[in-house]
Amino acid sequence: MALTGKQVRQLRSLAHHLEPVVHIGRGDVNDGVVAQAEESLEAHELIKCAVQDGSDLTCREAAEQLAERTGADVVQVIGHRFALYRETSRTDVEKIKLV
């Protein structure tokens, strides 16, 4: 699902206050990182991730790889952190209402 500019701005403002829940380190984007991101996206829809100094990937590369493997959209990349969004399929989670 391609996000509109207005939706991206809304998600960026929501992601600003989040702490990173997924950390990408020396192992880069491996199956464990993807599983952790999948679980977090299902529970929260919007997550922030951090790329550690030991990683061989740039933050943009890590964001694109993780988004591709999880079916999420990259919301923002700043410094060593990025935010991903994917609508959850769970009914017990309060969904983000996009404009």
Side-chain angles (χ1 to χ4, degrees), residues 83-97:
L84 297 178
Y85 169 79
R86 184 183 75 195
E87 187 174 345
T88 185
S89 59
R90 291 173 45 177
T91 57
D92 61 331
V93 175
E94 184 178 341
K95 297 187 178 198
I96 297 172
K97 293 169 181 54

Side-chain angles (χ1 to χ4, degrees), residues 21-97:
V21 294
V22 176
H23 296 272
I24 299 169
R26 189 171 292 143
D28 293 332
V29 180
N30 57 32
D31 293 337
V33 170
V34 172
Q36 183 181 8
E38 287 273 358
E39 186 178 308
S40 297
L41 283 166
E42 277 299 308
H44 304 289
E45 290 191 322
L46 180 66
I47 62 171
K48 189 179 275 188
C49 308
V51 178
Q52 306 297 321
D53 289 336
S55 176
D56 293 332
L57 299 173
T58 67
C59 192
R60 172 70 61 191
E61 292 169 341
E64 289 171 359
Q65 283 185 21
L66 193 56
E68 182 180 323
R69 290 185 65 179
T70 59
D73 290 305
V74 178
V75 174
Q76 183 176 35
V77 178
I78 294 182
H80 293 284
R81 296 181 182 198
F82 61 92
L84 297 178
Y85 169 79
R86 184 183 75 195
E87 187 174 345
T88 185
S89 59
R90 291 173 45 177
T91 57
D92 61 331
V93 175
E94 184 178 341
K95 297 187 178 198
I96 297 172
K97 293 169 181 54

